[in-house]
Amino acid sequence: EPDMEQVKTGLATDHQVAAHIKSSRAQVWVLARNNPTFPKPLRITSGMTRWRWADVLEWEQSLKAITNAKHGN
């Protein structure tokens, strides 16, 4: 297992995305299916799907921006 504190560049597995957003793999897939703002995964092969870290981090920043706006920060 690679160190989870590694630099978040390139591609992430569902495990890595789940750990990053402090959620479960199942929840990552629910978000991917049902949340239009959540980054769509890339299908590498029939059995391998990855997310771009850049997309995940950008999504996270957009959520923080919304939260801050709601709280008047």
Side-chain angles (χ1 to χ4, degrees):
E1 275 294 285
D3 180 11
M4 289 313 283
E5 291 306 311
Q6 66 189 315
V7 178
K8 293 182 168 63
T9 59
L11 301 176
T13 64
D14 54 357
H15 286 276
Q16 290 173 311
V17 175
H20 181 72
I21 66 171
K22 298 177 175 53
S23 190
S24 65
R25 288 174 65 204
Q27 184 61 29
V28 169
W29 287 104
V30 168
L31 284 167
R33 275 195 300 275
N34 301 335
N35 184 330
T37 68
F38 192 74
K40 293 288 169 264
L42 309 172
R43 194 148 187 191
I44 312 293
T45 66
S46 61
M48 183 193 287
T49 310
R50 296 289 184 269
W51 278 260
R52 285 193 190 91
W53 271 122
D55 293 347
V56 174
L57 298 172
E58 192 176 316
W59 175 76
E60 203 178 25
Q61 286 306 312
S62 74
L63 288 189
K64 285 178 181 160
I66 293 165
T67 304
N68 288 343
K70 278 184 186 157
H71 294 297
N73 296 338

